[in-house]
Amino acid sequence: MSCRRLVWGLLLLLGGTPAAADEPPAAPAAAVGPAALGKRLYREGQLVSGQPLAATLASGVRIEGRAAACATCHRNSGLGAAEGANVIRPLTVPGFFAGQENNRRYARRPWVLRGELNYTDATFERALREGVSADGRPLDPLMPRYALARIDIEALRAYLTQVALQP
């Protein structure tokens, strides 16, 4: 009997599946980089700790997990969306974070306002937690207020910086 058949037989006997024998073990969270953790937070609504992302809407309603994920409104691409009078700003434009070049081609678009660009670590954190833009204006009431630890914010920024559009 081959070793592979023996492993499959043991897995079946123990309630596993033969496919499990071909799958590599999951990487521990510590081995995953900040951008990958930020992507998981952005798209799936899962914090670095593995707990579900939690947020409060302007109406006071609490949302969690995938319902609170950034991609729910800003899309997987980070390019935002528009529906009627509601405009969801893009997060992946050049210059969104301080230190990135602000490409004029994007800054002239009506959905990218200069005052909303160039978020620092502190203003990005304030936007997520308190709903205040980089230039001090209140964000749209559609933007949830997130309960995030600094490590979660750093992971999210690492992901958004990685996927930012190239000028």
Side-chain angles (χ1 to χ4, degrees):
M1 179 181 263
S2 75
C3 184
R4 188 178 204 70
R5 281 186 84 136
L6 181 62
V7 169
W8 284 10
L10 286 172
L11 282 170
L12 287 172
L13 183 64
L14 297 172
T17 63
D22 295 328
E23 294 176 11
V32 177
L37 294 170
K39 179 178 182 178
R40 189 176 70 182
L41 189 155
Y42 181 89
R43 291 187 174 193
E44 300 170 24
Q46 188 176 16
L47 298 171
V48 170
S49 67
Q51 296 297 312
L53 175 63
T56 305
L57 302 175
S59 63
V61 173
R62 182 177 162 87
I63 56 175
E64 289 187 355
R66 199 173 291 274
C70 309
T72 302
C73 298
H74 294 281
R75 302 185 324 179
N76 279 347
S77 67
L79 293 175
E83 184 174 333
N86 297 320
V87 177
I88 308 299
R89 306 282 185 220
L91 304 175
T92 55
V93 295
F96 185 80
F97 290 111
Q100 291 179 331
E101 181 164 335
N102 184 357
N103 188 308
R104 288 189 183 125
R105 176 175 62 208
Y106 293 104
R108 285 182 291 162
R109 304 278 172 121
W111 39 261
V112 182
L113 303 176
R114 288 175 198 259
E116 293 179 351
L117 297 174
N118 294 306
Y119 278 88
T120 63
D121 291 342
T123 58
F124 185 56
E125 184 175 328
R126 183 179 68 178
L128 293 169
R129 291 184 177 162
E130 301 171 26
V132 178
S133 73
D135 63 355
R137 291 180 296 113
L139 293 174
D140 192 292
L142 291 175
M143 176 69 180
R145 305 314 184 248
Y146 291 95
L148 292 170
R150 175 144 302 136
I151 193 168
D152 297 309
I153 295 170
E154 290 169 358
L156 183 58
R157 181 178 176 151
Y159 172 66
L160 291 175
T161 302
Q162 177 183 318
V163 298
L165 296 175
Q166 300 303 311

